[in-house]
Amino acid sequence: ALQSSLQEQQSGLNYLSTTVKEMSKKAPSDISRKYQSEFEEVETRWKKLSSQLFEHCHKLEEHMAKLRKIQNHIKTLKKWMAEVDVFLKEEWPAVGDSEILKKQLKQCRLLVSDIQTIQPSLTSVNEGGQKIKSEAEPEFAARLETELKELNTQWEHVCRQVYARKEDIKGGLDKTISLQKDLSEMHEWMTQAEEEYLERDFEYKTPDELQKAVEEMKRAKEEAQQKEAKVKLLTESVNSVLTQAPPAAQEALKKELDTLTTNYQWLCTRLNGKCKTLEEVWACWHELLSYLEKANKWLNEVEFKLKTMENIPGGAEEISEVLDSLDNLMQHSEDNPNQIRILAQTLTDGGVMDELINEELESFNSRWRELHEE
């Protein structure tokens, strides 16, 4: 406004200059010098004032440009921090849902990238603010100092929260992935155990195969029992996650845990049952061997008696003794064969070593009939 006013007065100065020059031509020299001196004094003050106004305006424009730049930066920073604050308040780590956690972690990483990009702007605000503050009036300098302090405090707070949230989400994601991996591995083990020990058709043609099957089933049973601690730990981990997970993830996790524990208990029941059955079959086989051993021992004794009777002396007393001995041998001749037939039938009905047992049984029965008839 002063510069405009000065420009408006320029015509007056020009008129004065022209008038002084014209008067100097006509007026006496002393009067001419007097007016010339006064005009030069006015002109000097005019130039000085014009120069001062220009310098002041230029300096004020520079200050205004710097101040606007800082204020724009401050406005942008505050807006960004307000948006981040909304995100930090509304978005919580969705532990248990890996897809949501991955999205949240991506958002946090973008915020970290923003922090690194924006940091130079904050540095510029601080440096420019300090320079303006050093040249400003005390009242404005104090206000600027307060504003910068609040800005930096808020920035540090937001940065800490973003980095903390990133670590929380990463920890939640790692925990969720680890939990899902453990659940998947447990499901996989149960499926494998079921296919390997319960769904496969077993044929036991030899005692070695039966013994191997018994040992394998015992190991499977023991392994399943050892998994109980793993299932318990998984249950505790899932229940811990359920307290932090969103409703949708809670339902899915709870359903998966219920399915896992139910399938595990059913698998253990079936493994225990099959292990018990195989142990009973193994015991039955050994009982059959025991009866066969006793029966063959008896047959050997009969065979020996028959051979010793081929040259019996002709006396009645000797013949009577031999008959009594044979009667004693034959008295319980049916006990062992009956047990052998029952045990053999039990095993062969289950398809256990049927060919081998039938051969053994046929050999024994044939010998038993021959010696019995003899």
Side-chain angles (χ1 to χ4, degrees):
L2 284 172
Q3 278 185 318
S4 297
S5 176
L6 195 66
Q7 289 298 324
E8 291 173 359
Q9 298 297 325
Q10 182 67 47
S11 58
L13 181 67
N14 293 338
Y15 171 76
L16 188 61
S17 175
T18 302
T19 303
V20 168
K21 287 178 180 178
E22 289 179 353
M23 287 181 65
S24 296
K25 293 177 182 178
K26 300 175 181 179
S29 58
D30 55 337
I31 294 175
S32 177
R33 282 196 298 272
K34 177 184 175 186
Y35 280 112
Q36 186 68 35
S37 174
E38 288 181 4
F39 174 73
E40 286 176 358
E41 183 180 343
V42 170
E43 188 178 36
T44 299
R45 290 182 64 195
W46 178 278
K47 289 179 179 178
K48 182 180 179 182
L49 185 59
S50 296
S51 176
Q52 285 180 327
L53 277 173
F54 176 79
E55 288 177 5
H56 286 184
C57 281
H58 181 68
K59 188 176 288 186
L60 284 171
E61 284 170 357
E62 285 183 346
H63 284 319
M64 287 298 293
K66 291 176 183 177
L67 190 57
R68 285 195 187 98
K69 185 178 179 181
I70 288 175
Q71 286 174 336
N72 287 336
H73 281 316
I74 290 174
K75 184 179 178 181
T76 302
L77 286 167
K78 285 184 175 180
K79 182 182 177 183
W80 180 83
M81 288 189 289
E83 291 171 354
V84 173
D85 193 52
V86 171
F87 166 76
L88 292 172
K89 286 179 179 177
E90 291 182 355
E91 297 290 341
W92 291 95
V95 179
D97 192 325
S98 58
E99 292 305 313
I100 292 179
L101 284 168
K102 285 176 183 176
K103 290 178 182 177
Q104 290 179 335
L105 184 59
K106 183 179 179 181
Q107 286 176 307
C108 276
R109 284 174 173 162
L110 288 173
L111 287 177
V112 169
S113 178
D114 285 347
I115 288 172
Q116 294 169 349
T117 303
I118 295 171
Q119 181 66 54
S121 179
L122 179 70
T123 303
S124 175
V125 167
N126 284 320
E127 291 174 353
Q130 292 301 322
K131 189 171 181 181
I132 290 175
K133 193 180 70 170
S134 66
E135 301 172 356
E137 294 180 3
E139 185 180 349
F140 181 76
R143 288 206 311 270
L144 185 60
E145 176 68 22
T146 302
E147 188 174 10
L148 290 174
K149 187 175 180 181
E150 290 175 354
L151 181 72
N152 283 283
T153 301
Q154 188 180 358
W155 172 264
E156 290 170 5
H157 176 69
V158 168
C159 289
R160 281 197 303 270
Q161 282 193 307
V162 168
Y163 285 117
R165 178 58 56 82
K166 178 190 169 189
E167 291 305 311
D168 286 345
I169 293 175
K170 188 175 183 304
L173 180 60
D174 291 343
K175 185 177 181 180
T176 299
I177 290 174
S178 177
L179 181 60
Q180 289 174 338
K181 181 184 176 185
D182 290 342
L183 286 168
S184 177
E185 287 177 352
M186 191 65 195
H187 279 300
E188 187 178 341
W189 176 84
M190 289 193 294
T191 301
Q192 185 178 349
E194 190 166 342
E195 291 174 352
E196 190 170 347
Y197 299 110
L198 299 175
E199 293 182 356
R200 193 174 65 181
D201 293 329
F202 291 93
E203 292 184 358
Y204 313 111
K205 296 298 183 184
T206 66
D208 286 343
E209 288 180 356
L210 178 59
Q211 184 179 13
K212 184 180 177 182
V214 172
E215 290 171 354
E216 281 184 353
M217 195 53 64
K218 282 182 178 179
R219 285 197 297 271
K221 176 184 171 182
E222 290 171 1
E223 188 177 357
Q225 289 172 343
Q226 290 170 0
K227 293 288 183 182
E228 184 178 358
K230 179 73 172 177
V231 172
K232 185 178 179 182
L233 185 63
L234 275 172
T235 301
E236 291 174 355
S237 297
V238 170
N239 288 333
S240 173
V241 167
L242 286 175
T243 60
Q244 309 169 51
Q250 282 184 9
E251 186 177 346
L253 273 174
K254 193 173 184 305
K255 184 178 179 180
E256 187 171 3
L257 178 63
D258 290 342
T259 301
L260 183 139
T261 52
T262 301
N263 290 347
Y264 170 72
Q265 290 166 359
W266 176 231
L267 177 66
C268 288
T269 300
R270 293 168 70 192
L271 285 174
N272 291 341
K274 187 154 188 176
C275 186
K276 184 179 178 182
T277 299
L278 283 176
E279 287 175 336
E280 289 174 352
V281 170
W282 182 247
C284 186
W285 164 249
H286 277 277
E287 191 176 1
L288 175 61
L289 290 179
S290 175
Y291 276 108
L292 279 171
E293 185 180 1
K294 290 178 184 177
N296 280 313
K297 185 177 180 183
W298 177 81
L299 288 175
N300 291 337
E301 191 176 347
V302 171
E303 191 174 28
F304 177 76
K305 286 285 184 183
L306 289 173
K307 284 182 180 179
T308 58
M309 292 174 189
E310 290 177 356
N311 300 312
I312 302 174
E317 187 176 346
E318 286 84 355
I319 292 173
S320 178
E321 287 179 2
V322 169
L323 286 173
D324 288 341
S325 176
L326 285 173
D327 283 337
N328 287 333
L329 278 173
M330 299 304 291
Q331 190 173 358
H332 302 293
S333 63
E334 290 296 329
D335 292 346
N336 279 345
N338 285 337
Q339 288 297 325
I340 288 168
R341 279 191 292 274
I342 292 169
L343 291 169
Q345 190 67 41
T346 301
L347 291 169
T348 54
D349 284 349
V352 179
M353 297 183 288
D354 46 359
E355 293 180 5
L356 176 63
I357 290 173
N358 286 332
E359 289 175 5
E360 290 282 342
L361 198 59
E362 182 60 33
S363 175
F364 167 76
N365 286 336
S366 175
R367 189 181 176 207
W368 185 87
R369 283 193 299 269
E370 290 174 2
L371 289 173
H372 200 275
E373 289 169 4
E374 191 174 348

